[in-house]
Amino acid sequence: MNDSAPPRRRLGALFALLAGTLTLLLALSPRAEADSPAGGDMHVAQTLGDRELTVILRRVTGVPGPLHVDVITRTGTAAGRLDLAVLPTGVSMSASAAAASGTTVDTAVVTLSTRPGTYSAILNVTQAGPWELSLSDGKRTARIPFIVPKQVTSPPETAVYLGFSGAGLLVLVTVLVAVRARRGWWTLVPGGGLVACLTVAVTGALLSSQVPPPPSQGGQVDATIDGVNDPYADAGRPSGDYARPPGTMLLSTSTNRAGDVADVRLALSDATTGLPLDDVVVHDGALLHLLVVGPSGQLWHLHPVMTGAGVFEAPLFLPEAGHYAFSAEFARRGGGVHQVRSASGIDAVSDDARTTSGDLPVGTGSRTVAGVPVRLTASSLTAGEAVVLTARVGDTATLQPWLGMLGHLVVVGPLSPEAPVGAATQGAQVWAHSHSMGAMPDGTHDASGTEATGHAHGTGTRTSSPAMPAMAGLTSVNGDSTADETVAAYGPDLSFVYTFPAPGHYRIWIQAERDHTILTAPYLLQVAGAAEGTP
């Protein structure tokens, strides 16, 4: 009895120490969501030929594995065939990994019908790293860069797991020595190793929340195959501002004859080096947003396809003679949204000098767009004061997200209401693009404000319809994917918060998607000066 008591006491002490340490370690260890794959599905709007498409690249959960691609069409989309292909594009220090770059790995065909909806394809990807998806309609090939991620473990988390594993092994060794050894001090050898492993695990758990994440591959820094597979290997350099210089835009068209379709070509280059921009990333559901205002006030919101480094192309029908003003929005890798306006625009000519009237009644009110009633109200229209513009699009909660938003607001001005709209827009001081996430269910506003040439997100007021909460499904939570155009359960109210910087007349356009159709409602508003707006 007396001979067995010391081993039993030693075992009890060891188990008490192990239980207390494991309890502390579980409380300090990293949570499961830290290991979830970064990002969700990737939505990219593409104006490919006369089709306005949304291409969705579903998240890849493992390599090698399938890449699910959905192509969403809209009302009026022509039937036809799209050829899809994927190829890796990254560089690597490994010759075997780099050898596959630029070589097509898999292809697929998507057959579109005239029915709006979703058309799917599955392609195989073989490795983590930067990739490119190409879509061809037989006339033009669009290129969409994307990243196939790899789930990686940070160095502190690796220390936690290794410490756990070593401690588990040494527990067995310590128990075996404690039971069989004749001298009690022998247990100090594996016991000391156990304590060391637990110390490493606890230290790793404490540091896991303190170590900053590495730069985002493809988001903040140029992605490489090695960087995606081991982003911590190049994380030693100090982090800071990854934003890059502004870009410039060169506009050219295949024709300027009214009544023809012009092939618009935009060449983006770095303002400091003059080199083509090869680092444009998806921003608000597109690689590039192109806004065009025609002579009589027609608005085009296009998404040119990338056909080369810094080169974007889209067709544009020129319905009438007169001036067309252009503005492009895009984001470069590293952050920062760039808004670039063409200094020249284009002047369409025609043998027929007649132009369509662009006259609009001044003020808010009702419009009918493609058979859908649109009613606009405003809280106030005074320069320098935030105004809530609320548009009711239809009478039912059937709006669909477009470019990740429920509504878009384009503002141009101040301009003369008598002047041709395209020419007046070319010289307008303000060209703004704001967003709406719908009507907030609690009736509050996000009045974060916008800049005159900036890019902002507005939210609005309570809706009386039994609509889905405005933000539900439109914002990513823990990397989950957001709702796309197949979800028609929002609205009908869209509210925007915007501050007109100066008095005068402004052209605005409200855009929303309903029944797979993009609706554009134009208005002409008169904004009073601060003194005029004071009662």
Side-chain angles (χ1 to χ4, degrees), residues 175-256:
V175 170
L176 180 63
V177 172
V179 172
R180 300 184 63 87
R182 295 183 178 182
R183 290 181 173 83
W185 61 267
W186 285 6
T187 60
L188 295 178
V189 177
L194 171 62
V195 172
C197 287
L198 292 175
T199 302
V200 170
V202 171
T203 303
L206 291 172
L207 292 178
S208 63
S209 60
Q210 306 297 323
V211 175
S216 171
Q217 292 286 320
Q220 294 173 311
V221 297
D222 295 326
T224 64
I225 298 174
D226 299 332
V228 172
N229 283 275
D230 189 7
Y232 288 93
D234 192 36
R237 59 194 180 102
S239 60
D241 184 10
Y242 296 101
R244 302 187 178 186
T248 61
M249 180 177 71
L250 179 63
L251 168 69
S252 61
T253 60
S254 61
T255 180
N256 65 342

Side-chain angles (χ1 to χ4, degrees), residues 260-397:
D260 291 346
V261 175
D263 290 325
V264 176
R265 185 179 188 272
L266 306 174
L268 306 182
S269 58
D270 187 288
T272 59
T273 65
L275 295 174
L277 294 189
D278 59 356
D279 57 359
V280 176
V281 297
V282 173
H283 160 68
D284 286 343
L287 288 168
L288 187 140
H289 301 261
L290 177 63
L291 300 174
V292 183
V293 176
S296 59
Q298 184 175 355
L299 174 74
W300 290 266
H301 187 164
L302 305 176
H303 304 96
V305 299
M306 184 175 69
T307 58
V311 178
F312 293 81
E313 298 178 356
L316 175 65
F317 175 66
L318 306 176
E320 59 183 323
H323 191 80
Y324 293 76
F326 290 73
S327 175
E329 294 178 11
F330 58 90
R332 298 188 65 180
R333 185 172 297 123
V337 179
H338 301 259
Q339 183 188 54
V340 182
R341 296 169 60 177
S342 170
S344 60
I346 62 172
D347 290 297
V349 297
S350 172
D351 296 333
D352 186 354
R354 293 175 297 175
T355 60
T356 305
S357 173
D359 292 341
L360 280 176
V362 178
T364 58
S366 298
R367 302 278 188 277
T368 299
V369 182
V372 178
V374 179
R375 185 169 65 254
L376 177 68
T377 59
S379 59
S380 66
L381 287 173
T382 303
E385 298 181 5
V387 56
V388 179
L389 299 168
T390 302
R392 168 159 287 202
V393 182
D395 297 311
T396 57

Side-chain angles (χ1 to χ4, degrees), residues 26 36 54 122 234 238 260 279 295-296 324 386 390 396 404 453 459 465 476 493-494 531:
L26 289 174
S36 61
T54 297
I122 299 178
D234 192 36
D260 291 346
D279 57 359
S296 59
Y324 293 76
T390 302
T396 57
T453 58
T459 55
S465 63
S476 177
D493 288 346
L494 302 174

Side-chain angles (χ1 to χ4, degrees), residues 11 19 69 84 96 109 147 163 190 215 222 270 281 356 394 396 468 487 511:
L11 283 174
V69 178
L84 280 61
S96 58
V109 174
I147 304 295
D222 295 326
D270 187 288
V281 297
T356 305
T396 57
M468 180 184 296
V487 180
Q511 290 192 303

Side-chain angles (χ1 to χ4, degrees), residues 17-18 21-22 25 156-174 188-205:
L17 174 63
L18 180 62
T21 306
L22 289 178
L25 192 57
E157 290 173 326
T158 301
V160 172
Y161 301 139
L162 292 178
F164 255 133
S165 301
L169 177 63
L170 288 173
V171 163
L172 298 178
V173 175
T174 303
L188 295 178
V189 177
L194 171 62
V195 172
C197 287
L198 292 175
T199 302
V200 170
V202 171
T203 303

